[in-house]
Amino acid sequence: MGGARRGPVGPAGAPRRRAGSQLASAGRVIGVGLVAFGAWFLFDARELYQSATSSPIGTRRSVSMAITHPVARVEDALGLDRLVDGVNRVIGKQGSPGGSAVGPPPPPPTTTLPATTLPPRGRTTTTTRSGTTTTTRSGTTTTTTAPGPAPLAQPSAAHPLTILDIGDSIGEDLGIGLANVLAGAPHVNVVQASVGDTGLANIGYYDWLVELPRKIATYHPQVVVVMLGGNDVQSFEAGGQVVQLGTPAWSRIYAQRVAQLMSEATSSGARVLWVGMPVMGPTSGLSNVDVARENAIYAAQAETHPGVTYVSTQRLFEDPAGHYSTYLDVPGSGLVQVRDPDEIHIDPPGGTDLVGGYAVKAMERAWHVKL
């Protein structure tokens, strides 16, 4: 009698699986594995990038940063970083918040201030409690001395210098620039400890006033470099009340937090370089009037804290006409991209090296050292 044709059988009479089926199954397993790996890499790109920036200077670090940096930005743009943070909080995992300079809460309505809050064009002001220096483009310099900390020792084998970089994701960009610019300095160590999505407004999310002393106790820096503020253009809660952005109460409480952060750093004996926020692009969603308000607070508080130097970057990313520009003609490099497409972040390596070198020169000028 005829019947269905059976395939080859094994020793026990069980049908054998064809080689094509085995390959197909293996392909499905590999495919599922690749999809799972891709999803894990996308959702964890921020932490992988943070780990890469903390690794020793070298080829491995550069390659890791080059791979993880764009994926981390995609994670941020899609809002996946906030989803991961929410899941971590639900399951009790203590991760490192990160992401863009624009934090988790939706931006509140902004309040317009007079245009006079912007710093005068063509002038860069560096303010410290040990002296106030105003440098114009014509080269005129005026210095007024005041009490301050002891001079900073020139970095050497006997006196190595540790620089702790803190702030939000723009602070991360600055940290990349500092590490690149100072990579050849044998006695200078840059610790990149900035955390995205952070600031001094939403301290319930990440409290720098608590975290900075911990990092100082861990790394014992002689210099703390601060760059933050992109997440702080928002109302916040204080004393059980909502403090509206643009009100005198907002400026007063925010200034108190800035002052406390400065005091936390200087009380350890470290000097502080507070780097002001740069100009934002027209499609960034951030108002330059709000940014200028924050910068004015940073500068004013630096004047009252010994060992703190404030340096403005307001004009660093402007073109010769005084407008925001994604591309700038950088001496020695030609026309380079210096800002990300979001018109908030600083683009590596052109922009990050630009702001890193700018900060290094500010430290050398203020503290009379060669880095």
Side-chain angles (χ1 to χ4, degrees), residues 143-233:
T143 302
T144 304
T145 59
L152 187 67
Q154 174 63 36
S156 64
H159 299 284
L161 179 68
T162 296
I163 299 174
L164 176 65
D165 167 73
I166 70 167
D168 55 21
S169 55
I170 297 182
E172 291 177 339
D173 296 336
L174 173 59
I176 293 171
L178 289 173
N180 288 343
V181 172
L182 295 173
H187 307 300
V188 179
N189 176 39
V190 178
V191 177
Q192 296 164 276
S194 290
V195 179
D197 280 345
T198 64
L200 294 175
N202 187 2
I203 57 177
Y205 174 70
Y206 189 92
D207 193 346
W208 275 114
L209 304 177
V210 173
E211 296 298 330
L212 178 58
R214 296 174 180 171
K215 295 187 185 300
I216 288 175
T218 300
Y219 299 109
H220 307 288
Q222 291 80 40
V223 172
V224 176
V225 177
V226 185
M227 192 174 191
L228 52 75
N231 298 308
D232 293 341
V233 184

Side-chain angles (χ1 to χ4, degrees), residues 282-360:
T283 66
S284 66
L286 291 178
S287 165
N288 280 309
V289 173
D290 292 326
V291 170
R293 178 193 297 113
E294 293 177 357
N295 286 338
I297 291 173
Y298 306 148
Q301 289 302 315
E303 290 183 347
T304 65
H305 286 77
V308 177
T309 297
Y310 171 80
V311 59
S312 171
T313 64
Q314 187 69 25
R315 309 304 176 194
L316 185 63
F317 292 99
E318 289 182 344
D319 62 18
H323 303 133
Y324 166 91
S325 181
T326 298
Y327 298 87
L328 290 176
D329 191 357
V330 177
S333 301
L335 188 66
V336 297
Q337 183 172 346
V338 295
R339 301 295 286 274
D340 278 2
D342 63 10
E343 298 187 344
I344 296 174
H345 292 93
I346 303 171
D347 193 71
T352 53
D353 286 0
L354 177 64
V355 71
Y358 183 77
V360 168

